[in-house]
Coordinates of all heavy atoms in Angstrom, one line a residue:
Q1 N -4.1 -13.7 -14.7 CA -3.2 -14.0 -13.4 C -1.7 -13.5 -13.7 O -1.1 -13.0 -12.8 CB -3.3 -15.4 -13.0 CG -2.6 -15.7 -11.7 CD -3.1 -14.9 -10.5 OE1 -4.3 -14.7 -10.5 NE2 -2.3 -14.5 -9.5
G2 N -1.3 -13.7 -14.9 CA 0.1 -13.4 -15.3 C 0.4 -11.9 -15.0 O 1.4 -11.5 -14.6
K3 N -0.7 -11.0 -15.4 CA -0.5 -9.6 -15.3 C -0.4 -9.2 -13.8 O 0.3 -8.4 -13.3 CB -1.5 -8.8 -16.0 CG -1.6 -9.0 -17.4 CD -0.5 -8.2 -18.1 CE -0.6 -8.3 -19.6 NZ 0.4 -7.6 -20.4
Y4 N -1.2 -9.8 -13.0 CA -1.2 -9.6 -11.5 C 0.0 -10.0 -10.9 O 0.6 -9.3 -10.0 CB -2.4 -10.3 -10.9 CG -3.8 -9.7 -10.9 CD1 -4.8 -10.5 -11.3 CD2 -4.0 -8.3 -10.9 CE1 -6.1 -10.0 -11.4 CE2 -5.3 -7.7 -11.0 CZ -6.4 -8.6 -11.3 OH -7.6 -8.0 -11.4
D5 N 0.6 -11.2 -11.2 CA 1.8 -11.5 -10.7 C 3.0 -10.6 -11.1 O 3.8 -10.2 -10.2 CB 2.2 -13.1 -11.3 CG 1.2 -14.0 -10.7 OD1 0.6 -13.8 -9.7 OD2 1.3 -15.2 -11.4
E6 N 2.9 -10.1 -12.3 CA 4.0 -9.1 -12.7 C 3.9 -7.9 -11.9 O 4.8 -7.2 -11.4 CB 3.9 -8.9 -14.2 CG 4.9 -7.9 -14.7 CD 6.3 -8.3 -14.8 OE1 6.6 -9.4 -14.4 OE2 7.3 -7.4 -15.0
A7 N 2.6 -7.4 -11.8 CA 2.3 -6.1 -11.1 C 2.7 -6.3 -9.6 O 3.4 -5.4 -9.0 CB 0.9 -5.7 -11.2
N8 N 2.5 -7.5 -9.0 CA 2.9 -7.8 -7.6 C 4.4 -7.7 -7.5 O 4.8 -7.0 -6.6 CB 2.3 -9.2 -7.2 CG 2.5 -9.4 -5.8 OD1 3.4 -9.1 -5.2 ND2 1.5 -10.2 -5.2
R9 N 5.1 -8.3 -8.4 CA 6.5 -8.3 -8.4 C 7.1 -6.9 -8.5 O 8.0 -6.5 -7.8 CB 7.0 -9.1 -9.5 CG 8.6 -9.4 -9.5 CD 9.1 -10.2 -10.7 NE 9.0 -9.5 -11.9 CZ 9.7 -8.5 -12.3 NH1 10.8 -8.1 -11.5 NH2 9.6 -7.9 -13.5
L10 N 6.5 -6.1 -9.4 CA 7.0 -4.7 -9.6 C 6.7 -3.9 -8.3 O 7.5 -2.9 -7.9 CB 6.3 -4.1 -10.8 CG 6.9 -4.8 -12.1 CD1 6.0 -4.2 -13.3 CD2 8.3 -4.5 -12.4
Y11 N 5.5 -4.0 -7.7 CA 5.2 -3.3 -6.5 C 6.2 -3.7 -5.4 O 6.6 -2.8 -4.7 CB 3.7 -3.6 -6.1 CG 2.8 -2.7 -6.7 CD1 1.5 -3.2 -7.3 CD2 2.8 -1.3 -6.9 CE1 0.6 -2.5 -7.9 CE2 1.9 -0.6 -7.6 CZ 0.9 -1.2 -8.1 OH -0.3 -0.3 -8.7
E12 N 6.4 -4.9 -5.2 CA 7.3 -5.4 -4.1 C 8.7 -4.8 -4.4 O 9.4 -4.3 -3.5 CB 7.5 -6.8 -4.1 CG 6.1 -7.5 -3.8 CD 6.1 -8.2 -2.5 OE1 7.1 -8.3 -1.9 OE2 5.0 -8.6 -2.1
R13 N 9.1 -4.6 -5.7 CA 10.4 -4.1 -6.0 C 10.5 -2.5 -5.7 O 11.5 -2.1 -5.1 CB 10.7 -4.3 -7.5 CG 12.1 -3.9 -7.9 CD 12.4 -4.3 -9.3 NE 13.6 -3.6 -9.7 CZ 13.9 -3.3 -11.0 NH1 13.0 -3.5 -12.0 NH2 15.0 -2.7 -11.3
A14 N 9.4 -1.9 -6.0 CA 9.3 -0.6 -5.8 C 9.3 -0.2 -4.3 O 9.9 0.8 -3.9 CB 8.0 0.1 -6.4
I15 N 8.7 -1.1 -3.5 CA 8.7 -0.8 -2.1 C 10.1 -1.0 -1.6 O 10.6 -0.2 -0.7 CB 7.7 -1.9 -1.3 CG1 6.2 -1.5 -1.7 CG2 7.9 -1.8 0.2 CD1 5.2 -2.5 -1.4
A16 N 10.7 -2.0 -2.0 CA 12.1 -2.2 -1.6 C 13.1 -1.2 -1.9 O 13.8 -0.7 -1.1 CB 12.7 -3.6 -2.2
I17 N 12.9 -0.6 -3.1 CA 13.7 0.5 -3.6 C 13.4 1.7 -2.8 O 14.2 2.5 -2.3 CB 13.5 0.8 -5.1 CG1 14.2 -0.3 -5.8 CG2 14.2 2.1 -5.3 CD1 13.9 -0.2 -7.3
G18 N 12.1 2.0 -2.5 CA 11.6 3.2 -1.7 C 12.2 3.1 -0.3 O 12.5 4.1 0.3
E19 N 12.1 1.9 0.3 CA 12.5 1.7 1.7 C 14.1 2.0 1.8 O 14.5 2.7 2.7 CB 12.1 0.4 2.3 CG 10.8 0.2 2.4 CD 10.3 -1.2 2.9 OE1 11.1 -2.1 2.5 OE2 9.3 -1.5 3.5
K20 N 14.8 1.6 0.7 CA 16.2 1.7 0.8 C 16.6 3.1 0.5 O 17.5 3.7 1.2 CB 16.9 0.9 -0.3 CG 18.3 0.8 -0.3 CD 18.9 -0.2 -1.3 CE 20.5 -0.1 -1.2 NZ 21.0 -1.0 -2.2
T21 N 15.9 3.8 -0.4 CA 16.4 5.2 -0.8 C 15.7 6.3 0.1 O 16.3 7.3 0.3 CB 16.1 5.4 -2.3 OG1 14.7 5.3 -2.5 CG2 16.9 4.6 -3.1
L22 N 14.5 6.1 0.5 CA 13.7 7.1 1.2 C 13.5 6.8 2.7 O 13.3 7.7 3.5 CB 12.3 7.3 0.5 CG 12.3 7.6 -0.9 CD1 10.9 7.5 -1.4 CD2 12.9 9.0 -1.2
G23 N 13.6 5.5 3.0 CA 13.3 5.1 4.4 C 12.0 4.3 4.4 O 11.1 4.7 3.7
A24 N 11.9 3.5 5.4 CA 10.7 2.6 5.4 C 9.5 3.3 5.9 O 8.4 3.0 5.6 CB 11.0 1.5 6.3
D25 N 9.7 4.7 6.5 CA 8.5 5.4 7.0 C 8.3 6.6 6.1 O 7.7 7.6 6.6 CB 8.8 5.8 8.4 CG 8.8 4.6 9.3 OD1 8.1 3.5 9.1 OD2 9.6 4.6 10.3
H26 N 8.6 6.5 4.9 CA 8.4 7.6 4.0 C 7.0 7.6 3.4 O 6.5 6.6 3.1 CB 9.4 7.7 2.9 CG 9.4 9.0 2.0 ND1 8.6 9.3 1.1 CD2 10.3 10.0 2.2 CE1 8.8 10.4 0.6 NE2 9.9 11.0 1.2
P27 N 6.3 8.7 3.2 CA 5.0 8.8 2.6 C 4.9 8.1 1.3 O 3.8 7.5 0.9 CB 4.5 10.3 2.6 CG 5.4 10.9 3.6 CD 6.7 10.1 3.7
S28 N 5.9 8.3 0.5 CA 5.9 7.6 -0.8 C 5.8 6.1 -0.7 O 5.1 5.3 -1.6 CB 7.1 8.0 -1.7 OG 7.1 9.3 -2.0
V29 N 6.5 5.6 0.3 CA 6.4 4.0 0.5 C 4.9 3.7 0.9 O 4.4 2.7 0.5 CB 7.5 3.6 1.5 CG1 7.2 2.2 2.0 CG2 8.8 3.9 1.1
A30 N 4.3 4.6 1.6 CA 2.9 4.3 2.0 C 2.0 4.2 0.8 O 1.1 3.3 0.7 CB 2.4 5.3 3.0
I31 N 2.2 5.0 -0.2 CA 1.3 5.1 -1.4 C 1.6 3.7 -2.1 O 0.6 3.0 -2.6 CB 1.7 6.2 -2.3 CG1 1.3 7.6 -1.7 CG2 1.1 6.1 -3.7 CD1 1.8 8.7 -2.4
T32 N 2.9 3.2 -2.3 CA 3.1 2.0 -3.0 C 2.5 0.9 -2.2 O 2.0 0.0 -2.8 CB 4.6 1.8 -3.2 OG1 5.2 3.0 -3.8 CG2 4.9 0.7 -4.1
L33 N 2.7 0.9 -0.8 CA 2.1 -0.1 -0.1 C 0.5 -0.3 -0.3 O 0.0 -1.3 -0.5 CB 2.3 0.1 1.4 CG 3.7 -0.1 1.9 CD1 3.9 0.4 3.3 CD2 4.0 -1.7 1.9
T34 N -0.1 0.9 -0.4 CA -1.6 1.0 -0.6 C -1.9 0.4 -2.0 O -2.9 -0.4 -2.1 CB -2.0 2.5 -0.6 OG1 -1.7 2.9 0.8 CG2 -3.5 2.5 -0.8
N35 N -1.1 0.7 -3.0 CA -1.4 0.2 -4.3 C -1.2 -1.3 -4.3 O -2.0 -2.1 -5.0 CB -0.4 0.8 -5.3 CG -0.8 2.3 -5.6 OD1 -1.9 2.7 -5.3 ND2 0.2 3.0 -6.0
L36 N -0.2 -1.8 -3.6 CA -0.1 -3.4 -3.5 C -1.2 -3.9 -2.8 O -1.7 -5.0 -3.1 CB 1.4 -3.7 -3.0 CG 1.6 -5.2 -2.7 CD1 1.4 -6.0 -4.0 CD2 2.9 -5.3 -2.1
A37 N -1.6 -3.4 -1.7 CA -2.8 -3.7 -0.9 C -4.0 -3.9 -1.8 O -4.7 -4.9 -1.7 CB -3.0 -2.9 0.2
D38 N -4.3 -2.9 -2.6 CA -5.4 -3.0 -3.5 C -5.3 -4.3 -4.5 O -6.2 -4.9 -4.8 CB -5.5 -1.7 -4.5 CG -6.1 -0.5 -3.8 OD1 -6.9 -0.8 -2.9 OD2 -5.8 0.6 -4.2
L39 N -4.2 -4.4 -5.1 CA -3.9 -5.5 -5.9 C -4.1 -6.9 -5.3 O -4.8 -7.7 -5.8 CB -2.4 -5.4 -6.5 CG -2.0 -6.6 -7.5 CD1 -2.8 -6.6 -8.7 CD2 -0.5 -6.6 -7.6
L40 N -3.6 -7.0 -4.1 CA -3.8 -8.2 -3.3 C -5.2 -8.5 -3.0 O -5.7 -9.7 -3.0 CB -2.9 -8.3 -2.0 CG -1.5 -8.2 -2.2 CD1 -0.6 -8.0 -1.0 CD2 -0.9 -9.6 -2.9
A41 N -5.9 -7.5 -2.6 CA -7.3 -7.6 -2.4 C -8.1 -8.1 -3.5 O -9.0 -9.0 -3.5 CB -7.9 -6.3 -1.8
K42 N -7.7 -7.5 -4.8 CA -8.3 -8.0 -6.0 C -8.0 -9.5 -6.3 O -8.8 -10.2 -6.9 CB -7.9 -7.2 -7.1 CG -8.5 -5.8 -7.1 CD -7.9 -5.0 -8.3 CE -8.5 -3.5 -8.2 NZ -7.8 -2.5 -9.1
Q43 N -6.9 -9.9 -5.8 CA -6.7 -11.3 -6.0 C -7.1 -12.3 -4.9 O -6.9 -13.4 -5.0 CB -5.0 -11.5 -6.0 CG -4.3 -10.8 -7.2 CD -2.9 -11.1 -7.2 OE1 -2.1 -10.4 -6.3 NE2 -2.3 -11.9 -8.0
G44 N -7.8 -11.6 -3.9 CA -8.4 -12.5 -2.9 C -7.7 -12.6 -1.6 O -8.0 -13.4 -0.7
D45 N -6.5 -12.0 -1.5 CA -5.6 -12.0 -0.3 C -5.9 -11.0 0.6 O -5.1 -10.0 0.7 CB -4.2 -12.0 -0.7 CG -3.3 -12.5 0.4 OD1 -3.7 -12.6 1.6 OD2 -2.1 -12.8 0.2
S46 N -7.1 -10.9 1.2 CA -7.5 -9.8 2.1 C -6.8 -9.7 3.3 O -6.6 -8.6 3.8 CB -9.1 -10.2 2.4 OG -9.9 -10.1 1.3
D47 N -6.2 -10.8 3.8 CA -5.4 -10.8 5.0 C -4.2 -9.9 4.9 O -3.9 -9.0 5.6 CB -5.1 -12.1 5.6 CG -6.4 -12.8 6.2 OD1 -7.3 -12.2 6.5 OD2 -6.3 -14.1 6.2
K48 N -3.4 -10.3 3.8 CA -2.2 -9.5 3.6 C -2.5 -8.1 3.1 O -1.8 -7.2 3.5 CB -1.4 -10.2 2.5 CG 0.0 -9.6 2.3 CD 0.9 -10.4 1.4 CE 2.3 -9.8 1.3 NZ 3.2 -10.6 0.4
A49 N -3.5 -7.8 2.4 CA -4.1 -6.6 2.0 C -4.2 -5.7 3.2 O -3.9 -4.6 3.3 CB -5.2 -6.5 1.0
K50 N -5.0 -6.3 4.2 CA -5.3 -5.5 5.4 C -4.0 -5.1 6.1 O -3.8 -4.0 6.6 CB -6.1 -6.4 6.3 CG -6.6 -5.6 7.6 CD -7.5 -6.4 8.4 CE -7.9 -5.6 9.7 NZ -8.6 -6.4 10.6
R51 N -3.0 -6.0 6.2 CA -1.8 -5.7 6.9 C -1.0 -4.6 6.2 O -0.5 -3.7 6.8 CB -0.9 -7.0 7.0 CG -1.4 -8.0 8.0 CD -0.3 -9.0 8.4 NE 0.1 -9.8 7.1 CZ -0.5 -10.8 6.7 NH1 -1.6 -11.3 7.2 NH2 0.1 -11.4 5.6
L52 N -1.0 -4.6 4.9 CA -0.5 -3.5 4.1 C -1.1 -2.3 4.2 O -0.5 -1.1 4.3 CB -0.2 -4.0 2.7 CG 0.8 -5.1 2.4 CD1 0.8 -5.4 0.9 CD2 2.2 -4.8 2.9
F53 N -2.4 -2.3 4.2 CA -3.2 -1.1 4.3 C -2.9 -0.4 5.7 O -2.6 0.8 5.9 CB -4.7 -1.3 4.2 CG -5.3 -1.2 2.8 CD1 -6.0 -2.3 2.3 CD2 -5.1 0.0 2.0 CE1 -6.4 -2.2 1.0 CE2 -5.7 0.0 0.8 CZ -6.4 -1.1 0.3
E54 N -2.9 -1.3 6.8 CA -2.7 -0.8 8.1 C -1.3 -0.2 8.2 O -1.0 0.9 8.9 CB -2.8 -1.9 9.1 CG -4.3 -2.4 9.3 CD -4.5 -3.5 10.1 OE1 -3.6 -4.4 10.4 OE2 -5.7 -3.8 10.5
R55 N -0.2 -0.8 7.6 CA 1.1 -0.3 7.6 C 1.2 1.0 6.9 O 1.8 2.0 7.3 CB 2.1 -1.3 6.9 CG 3.5 -0.8 6.9 CD 4.5 -1.8 6.5 NE 5.8 -1.2 6.3 CZ 6.6 -1.5 5.4 NH1 6.3 -2.5 4.6 NH2 7.8 -0.9 5.2
A56 N 0.5 1.2 5.8 CA 0.6 2.3 5.0 C -0.1 3.5 5.7 O 0.4 4.6 5.8 CB -0.2 2.1 3.6
L57 N -1.2 3.1 6.4 CA -2.1 4.1 7.1 C -1.2 4.7 8.4 O -1.0 5.8 8.7 CB -3.2 3.6 7.7 CG -4.4 4.5 8.2 CD1 -4.7 5.5 7.2 CD2 -5.7 3.6 8.5
A58 N -0.5 3.7 9.1 CA 0.4 4.1 10.2 C 1.6 5.0 9.8 O 1.9 6.0 10.4 CB 1.0 2.9 10.8
I59 N 2.2 4.7 8.6 CA 3.3 5.5 8.0 C 2.7 6.9 7.7 O 3.3 8.0 8.1 CB 3.8 4.9 6.8 CG1 4.6 3.6 7.1 CG2 4.8 5.9 6.1 CD1 5.1 2.9 5.9
S60 N 1.6 7.0 7.1 CA 1.0 8.3 6.8 C 0.6 9.1 7.9 O 0.9 10.4 8.0 CB -0.2 8.1 5.7 OG -0.6 9.2 5.1
R61 N 0.1 8.4 8.9 CA -0.4 9.2 10.1 C 0.8 9.8 10.8 O 0.8 10.9 11.3 CB -1.2 8.2 11.0 CG -2.7 8.1 10.6 CD -3.4 7.2 11.6 NE -4.7 7.1 11.2 CZ -5.4 6.0 11.4 NH1 -4.9 4.9 12.0 NH2 -6.8 6.0 11.1
A62 N 1.8 8.9 10.9 CA 3.1 9.3 11.7 C 3.8 10.4 10.9 O 4.3 11.3 11.5 CB 3.9 8.1 11.9
S63 N 3.9 10.4 9.6 CA 4.6 11.3 8.9 C 3.9 12.5 8.4 O 4.4 13.6 8.3 CB 5.4 10.6 7.6 OG 4.4 10.1 6.9
L64 N 2.6 12.4 8.2 CA 1.9 13.5 7.6 C 0.7 14.0 8.5 O 0.2 15.1 8.3 CB 1.3 13.1 6.3 CG 2.2 12.8 5.2 CD1 1.4 12.1 4.0 CD2 3.1 13.9 4.8
G65 N 0.3 13.1 9.4 CA -0.8 13.5 10.3 C -2.1 12.9 9.8 O -2.4 12.5 8.7
S66 N -3.1 12.7 10.8 CA -4.3 12.0 10.5 C -5.2 12.9 9.6 O -6.1 12.2 8.9 CB -5.0 11.8 11.9 OG -4.4 10.8 12.5
D67 N -5.1 14.1 9.6 CA -5.9 15.0 8.8 C -5.4 15.3 7.3 O -6.0 16.0 6.6 CB -6.2 16.4 9.5 CG -7.0 16.2 10.8 OD1 -7.8 15.2 10.8 OD2 -6.8 17.0 11.6
H68 N -4.3 14.7 7.0 CA -3.6 15.0 5.7 C -4.5 14.3 4.6 O -4.9 13.1 4.9 CB -2.2 14.5 5.7 CG -1.4 14.9 4.5 ND1 -1.5 14.3 3.3 CD2 -0.5 16.0 4.3 CE1 -0.7 14.9 2.4 NE2 -0.2 15.9 3.0
P69 N -4.6 14.8 3.5 CA -5.4 14.2 2.4 C -4.8 12.8 2.1 O -5.7 11.9 1.7 CB -5.3 15.1 1.2 CG -5.1 16.5 1.8 CD -4.2 16.2 3.1
Q70 N -3.5 12.6 2.1 CA -3.1 11.2 1.8 C -3.5 10.3 2.8 O -3.9 9.1 2.4 CB -1.5 11.3 1.6 CG -1.0 9.8 1.3 CD 0.5 9.8 1.1 OE1 1.1 10.7 0.4 NE2 1.3 8.9 1.9
T71 N -3.4 10.6 4.0 CA -3.9 9.7 5.1 C -5.4 9.4 4.9 O -5.8 8.2 5.0 CB -3.6 10.3 6.5 OG1 -2.2 10.7 6.5 CG2 -4.0 9.4 7.6
E72 N -6.1 10.4 4.7 CA -7.6 10.2 4.5 C -7.9 9.3 3.3 O -8.8 8.5 3.4 CB -8.3 11.6 4.4 CG -8.3 12.3 5.7 CD -8.8 13.7 5.7 OE1 -9.1 14.2 4.5 OE2 -9.0 14.4 6.6
Q73 N -7.1 9.5 2.3 CA -7.3 8.7 1.0 C -7.0 7.2 1.3 O -7.7 6.3 0.9 CB -6.4 9.2 -0.1 CG -6.7 8.4 -1.4 CD -5.8 8.9 -2.6 OE1 -4.7 9.3 -2.4 NE2 -6.4 8.8 -3.8
I74 N -5.9 7.0 2.0 CA -5.4 5.6 2.3 C -6.6 4.9 3.1 O -7.0 3.7 2.9 CB -4.1 5.5 3.0 CG1 -3.0 5.9 2.1 CG2 -3.9 4.1 3.6 CD1 -1.7 6.2 2.7
A75 N -7.1 5.6 4.2 CA -8.2 5.1 5.0 C -9.4 4.8 4.3 O -10.0 3.8 4.4 CB -8.5 6.1 6.1
A76 N -9.7 5.6 3.3 CA -11.0 5.5 2.4 C -10.8 4.3 1.5 O -11.7 3.5 1.4 CB -11.3 6.7 1.6
R77 N -9.6 4.2 0.9 CA -9.3 3.0 0.1 C -9.4 1.7 0.9 O -9.9 0.7 0.3 CB -8.0 3.2 -0.6 CG -8.1 4.2 -1.8 CD -6.7 4.6 -2.4 NE -6.2 3.3 -3.1 CZ -5.1 3.3 -3.7 NH1 -4.3 4.4 -3.7 NH2 -4.7 2.3 -4.5
M78 N -8.9 1.8 2.1 CA -9.0 0.6 2.9 C -10.3 0.2 3.1 O -10.8 -1.0 3.1 CB -8.1 0.8 4.2 CG -8.1 -0.4 5.1 SD -7.0 0.1 6.6 CE -7.3 -1.4 7.5
R79 N -11.2 1.2 3.6 CA -12.5 0.8 3.9 C -13.3 0.3 2.6 O -14.0 -0.7 2.7 CB -13.3 2.1 4.4 CG -13.0 2.5 5.8 CD -13.8 3.6 6.3 NE -13.9 4.7 5.5 CZ -12.9 5.7 5.7 NH1 -12.1 5.8 6.7 NH2 -13.0 6.9 4.9
Q80 N -13.1 1.0 1.5 CA -13.8 0.6 0.2 C -13.4 -0.8 -0.2 O -14.1 -1.6 -0.6 CB -13.5 1.7 -0.9 CG -14.1 1.3 -2.2 CD -13.7 2.3 -3.2 OE1 -12.8 3.1 -3.0 NE2 -14.5 2.3 -4.3
T81 N -12.1 -1.0 -0.1 CA -11.4 -2.3 -0.7 C -11.8 -3.5 0.2 O -12.1 -4.6 -0.3 CB -9.9 -2.3 -0.9 OG1 -9.7 -1.1 -1.7 CG2 -9.3 -3.5 -1.5
L82 N -11.7 -3.3 1.4 CA -12.0 -4.5 2.4 C -13.4 -4.6 2.9 O -13.7 -5.5 3.7 CB -11.0 -4.2 3.6 CG -9.5 -4.4 3.2 CD1 -8.7 -4.1 4.5 CD2 -9.1 -5.6 2.5
S83 N -14.3 -3.8 2.4 CA -15.7 -3.9 3.0 C -16.5 -4.9 2.1 O -16.1 -5.4 1.1 CB -16.4 -2.6 2.8 OG -16.5 -2.2 1.4

């Protein structure tokens, strides 16, 4: 559990830095949100994971488009992780 807690803290920090430097709607922020969502799902927090996946997907769709490989990957990871 200690490693998960540390990873969670680092992802949260990376998201904050990304939002500040790149903007909250940058595709790189979406990737970090997706990674944190995966981690939270592994810890059993499916509700928060789903919200983060949805936010990441919305960012990616808006900035890159629905057919972009990153958007498709986020959608696939969301389906796989939350199924």
Side-chain angles (χ1 to χ4, degrees):
Q1 185 62 34
K3 297 283 185 183
Y4 282 136
D5 291 341
E6 177 69 7
N8 190 322
R9 188 183 67 74
L10 292 172
Y11 278 132
E12 299 249 351
R13 183 173 172 213
I15 291 166
I17 291 168
E19 289 175 337
K20 184 176 180 180
T21 58
L22 303 170
D25 295 329
H26 194 277
S28 292
V29 173
I31 292 170
T32 309
L33 287 166
T34 301
N35 292 336
L36 178 55
D38 277 335
L39 176 69
L40 291 171
K42 287 176 184 168
Q43 290 180 289
D45 194 347
S46 297
D47 291 338
K48 188 170 182 183
K50 182 178 179 188
R51 287 192 304 273
L52 292 177
F53 273 125
E54 289 171 345
R55 181 175 167 213
L57 198 52
I59 290 169
S60 193
R61 282 183 178 144
S63 59
L64 301 172
S66 294
D67 295 330
H68 192 278
Q70 178 176 312
T71 306
E72 292 174 353
Q73 182 183 36
I74 292 169
R77 285 175 70 183
M78 181 177 175
R79 284 190 303 271
Q80 179 183 17
T81 303
L82 298 179
S83 62

